[in-house]
Amino acid sequence: MQELTNAKGSRDPSRALLNGWISRSDLAQELEVTEGTLRRWTAERWGPPCIRAGRKIYYRRSVVVEWLEDQEAADHRRARRGMRR
């Protein structure tokens, strides 16, 4: 695993610990949705799964990618069904 350093050049262990995870606010920015949308998805048991660490919510990046791929496959299946009319 790549070791991350802070501005002073010393090791930043908190960043290495969260390597592979993304915060709710960062994910919202990347998906171009609001944090409220991500909260609603969680409440509705839809969207990528998340974990809570204290007051912070994190998503495993690899699981978010899998979830997005599943959405792409579902869209493809819906489009094919619509073509059979």
PDB file of all heavy atoms in Angstrom, residues 11-24:
ATOM      1  N   ARG A  11       4.828  10.951   7.726  1.00  0.00           N
ATOM      2  CA  ARG A  11       3.781   9.990   7.402  1.00  0.00           C
ATOM      3  C   ARG A  11       2.466  10.409   8.036  1.00  0.00           C
ATOM      4  O   ARG A  11       2.416  10.810   9.177  1.00  0.00           O
ATOM      5  CB  ARG A  11       4.201   8.610   7.917  1.00  0.00           C
ATOM      6  CG  ARG A  11       3.255   7.519   7.552  1.00  0.00           C
ATOM      7  CD  ARG A  11       3.852   6.173   7.952  1.00  0.00           C
ATOM      8  NE  ARG A  11       2.943   5.125   7.631  1.00  0.00           N
ATOM      9  CZ  ARG A  11       2.036   4.634   8.483  1.00  0.00           C
ATOM     10  NH1 ARG A  11       1.962   5.098   9.689  1.00  0.00           N
ATOM     11  NH2 ARG A  11       1.225   3.672   8.112  1.00  0.00           N
ATOM     12  N   ASP A  12       1.391  10.304   7.283  1.00  0.00           N
ATOM     13  CA  ASP A  12       0.053  10.629   7.771  1.00  0.00           C
ATOM     14  C   ASP A  12      -0.739   9.331   7.870  1.00  0.00           C
ATOM     15  O   ASP A  12      -1.361   8.908   6.904  1.00  0.00           O
ATOM     16  CB  ASP A  12      -0.630  11.620   6.832  1.00  0.00           C
ATOM     17  CG  ASP A  12      -1.976  12.102   7.356  1.00  0.00           C
ATOM     18  OD1 ASP A  12      -2.428  11.603   8.404  1.00  0.00           O
ATOM     19  OD2 ASP A  12      -2.565  12.980   6.713  1.00  0.00           O
ATOM     20  N   PRO A  13      -0.714   8.659   9.041  1.00  0.00           N
ATOM     21  CA  PRO A  13      -1.363   7.347   9.158  1.00  0.00           C
ATOM     22  C   PRO A  13      -2.865   7.377   8.986  1.00  0.00           C
ATOM     23  O   PRO A  13      -3.451   6.413   8.543  1.00  0.00           O
ATOM     24  CB  PRO A  13      -0.978   6.872  10.563  1.00  0.00           C
ATOM     25  CG  PRO A  13      -0.624   8.113  11.309  1.00  0.00           C
ATOM     26  CD  PRO A  13      -0.116   9.093  10.280  1.00  0.00           C
ATOM     27  N   SER A  14      -3.526   8.478   9.312  1.00  0.00           N
ATOM     28  CA  SER A  14      -4.980   8.519   9.165  1.00  0.00           C
ATOM     29  C   SER A  14      -5.386   8.430   7.699  1.00  0.00           C
ATOM     30  O   SER A  14      -6.397   7.848   7.362  1.00  0.00           O
ATOM     31  CB  SER A  14      -5.557   9.784   9.797  1.00  0.00           C
ATOM     32  OG  SER A  14      -5.125  10.928   9.084  1.00  0.00           O
ATOM     33  N   ARG A  15      -4.613   8.996   6.795  1.00  0.00           N
ATOM     34  CA  ARG A  15      -4.929   8.928   5.375  1.00  0.00           C
ATOM     35  C   ARG A  15      -4.680   7.522   4.839  1.00  0.00           C
ATOM     36  O   ARG A  15      -5.405   7.051   3.993  1.00  0.00           O
ATOM     37  CB  ARG A  15      -4.122   9.957   4.577  1.00  0.00           C
ATOM     38  CG  ARG A  15      -4.345  11.393   4.980  1.00  0.00           C
ATOM     39  CD  ARG A  15      -5.781  11.847   4.973  1.00  0.00           C
ATOM     40  NE  ARG A  15      -6.465  11.560   3.740  1.00  0.00           N
ATOM     41  CZ  ARG A  15      -7.767  11.555   3.583  1.00  0.00           C
ATOM     42  NH1 ARG A  15      -8.546  11.859   4.581  1.00  0.00           N
ATOM     43  NH2 ARG A  15      -8.326  11.271   2.444  1.00  0.00           N
ATOM     44  N   ALA A  16      -3.640   6.866   5.309  1.00  0.00           N
ATOM     45  CA  ALA A  16      -3.377   5.504   4.854  1.00  0.00           C
ATOM     46  C   ALA A  16      -4.487   4.568   5.314  1.00  0.00           C
ATOM     47  O   ALA A  16      -4.878   3.659   4.584  1.00  0.00           O
ATOM     48  CB  ALA A  16      -2.025   5.026   5.380  1.00  0.00           C
ATOM     49  N   LEU A  17      -5.011   4.800   6.487  1.00  0.00           N
ATOM     50  CA  LEU A  17      -6.080   3.967   7.021  1.00  0.00           C
ATOM     51  C   LEU A  17      -7.325   4.050   6.155  1.00  0.00           C
ATOM     52  O   LEU A  17      -8.014   3.060   5.933  1.00  0.00           O
ATOM     53  CB  LEU A  17      -6.418   4.402   8.451  1.00  0.00           C
ATOM     54  CG  LEU A  17      -7.552   3.659   9.143  1.00  0.00           C
ATOM     55  CD1 LEU A  17      -7.169   2.202   9.344  1.00  0.00           C
ATOM     56  CD2 LEU A  17      -7.872   4.304  10.460  1.00  0.00           C
ATOM     57  N   LEU A  18      -7.616   5.216   5.622  1.00  0.00           N
ATOM     58  CA  LEU A  18      -8.828   5.415   4.824  1.00  0.00           C
ATOM     59  C   LEU A  18      -8.586   5.247   3.333  1.00  0.00           C
ATOM     60  O   LEU A  18      -9.473   5.535   2.529  1.00  0.00           O
ATOM     61  CB  LEU A  18      -9.421   6.798   5.115  1.00  0.00           C
ATOM     62  CG  LEU A  18      -9.928   6.978   6.535  1.00  0.00           C
ATOM     63  CD1 LEU A  18     -10.394   8.410   6.760  1.00  0.00           C
ATOM     64  CD2 LEU A  18     -11.033   5.998   6.855  1.00  0.00           C
ATOM     65  N   ASN A  19      -7.418   4.767   2.977  1.00  0.00           N
ATOM     66  CA  ASN A  19      -7.133   4.518   1.567  1.00  0.00           C
ATOM     67  C   ASN A  19      -8.128   3.480   1.053  1.00  0.00           C
ATOM     68  O   ASN A  19      -8.326   2.446   1.654  1.00  0.00           O
ATOM     69  CB  ASN A  19      -5.698   4.013   1.408  1.00  0.00           C
ATOM     70  CG  ASN A  19      -5.213   4.092  -0.013  1.00  0.00           C
ATOM     71  OD1 ASN A  19      -5.782   4.793  -0.831  1.00  0.00           O
ATOM     72  ND2 ASN A  19      -4.156   3.370  -0.299  1.00  0.00           N
ATOM     73  N   GLY A  20      -8.791   3.773  -0.055  1.00  0.00           N
ATOM     74  CA  GLY A  20      -9.803   2.854  -0.592  1.00  0.00           C
ATOM     75  C   GLY A  20     -11.219   3.205  -0.164  1.00  0.00           C
ATOM     76  O   GLY A  20     -12.171   2.551  -0.573  1.00  0.00           O
ATOM     77  N   TRP A  21     -11.365   4.240   0.673  1.00  0.00           N
ATOM     78  CA  TRP A  21     -12.677   4.674   1.139  1.00  0.00           C
ATOM     79  C   TRP A  21     -12.905   6.112   0.711  1.00  0.00           C
ATOM     80  O   TRP A  21     -11.960   6.862   0.505  1.00  0.00           O
ATOM     81  CB  TRP A  21     -12.772   4.573   2.660  1.00  0.00           C
ATOM     82  CG  TRP A  21     -12.698   3.172   3.155  1.00  0.00           C
ATOM     83  CD1 TRP A  21     -11.579   2.450   3.399  1.00  0.00           C
ATOM     84  CD2 TRP A  21     -13.796   2.312   3.435  1.00  0.00           C
ATOM     85  NE1 TRP A  21     -11.921   1.193   3.825  1.00  0.00           N
ATOM     86  CE2 TRP A  21     -13.266   1.079   3.854  1.00  0.00           C
ATOM     87  CE3 TRP A  21     -15.180   2.468   3.379  1.00  0.00           C
ATOM     88  CZ2 TRP A  21     -14.071   0.004   4.216  1.00  0.00           C
ATOM     89  CZ3 TRP A  21     -15.973   1.395   3.749  1.00  0.00           C
ATOM     90  CH2 TRP A  21     -15.417   0.182   4.159  1.00  0.00           C
ATOM     91  N   ILE A  22     -14.156   6.504   0.582  1.00  0.00           N
ATOM     92  CA  ILE A  22     -14.501   7.868   0.193  1.00  0.00           C
ATOM     93  C   ILE A  22     -15.601   8.372   1.124  1.00  0.00           C
ATOM     94  O   ILE A  22     -16.502   7.613   1.498  1.00  0.00           O
ATOM     95  CB  ILE A  22     -14.940   7.913  -1.294  1.00  0.00           C
ATOM     96  CG1 ILE A  22     -15.160   9.336  -1.766  1.00  0.00           C
ATOM     97  CG2 ILE A  22     -16.145   7.030  -1.547  1.00  0.00           C
ATOM     98  CD1 ILE A  22     -15.377   9.466  -3.271  1.00  0.00           C
ATOM     99  N   SER A  23     -15.518   9.635   1.494  1.00  0.00           N
ATOM    100  CA  SER A  23     -16.529  10.212   2.384  1.00  0.00           C
ATOM    101  C   SER A  23     -17.815  10.490   1.612  1.00  0.00           C
ATOM    102  O   SER A  23     -17.829  10.539   0.381  1.00  0.00           O
ATOM    103  CB  SER A  23     -16.013  11.521   2.998  1.00  0.00           C
ATOM    104  OG  SER A  23     -15.917  12.523   2.000  1.00  0.00           O
ATOM    105  N   ARG A  24     -18.882  10.687   2.349  1.00  0.00           N
ATOM    106  CA  ARG A  24     -20.183  10.972   1.724  1.00  0.00           C
ATOM    107  C   ARG A  24     -20.104  12.266   0.913  1.00  0.00           C
ATOM    108  O   ARG A  24     -20.594  12.323  -0.214  1.00  0.00           O
ATOM    109  CB  ARG A  24     -21.277  11.079   2.781  1.00  0.00           C
ATOM    110  CG  ARG A  24     -22.624  11.480   2.188  1.00  0.00           C
ATOM    111  CD  ARG A  24     -23.721  11.430   3.198  1.00  0.00           C
ATOM    112  NE  ARG A  24     -24.215  10.060   3.258  1.00  0.00           N
ATOM    113  CZ  ARG A  24     -24.981   9.592   4.222  1.00  0.00           C
ATOM    114  NH1 ARG A  24     -25.332  10.345   5.224  1.00  0.00           N
ATOM    115  NH2 ARG A  24     -25.394   8.342   4.190  1.00  0.00           N
TER     116      ARG A  24
END
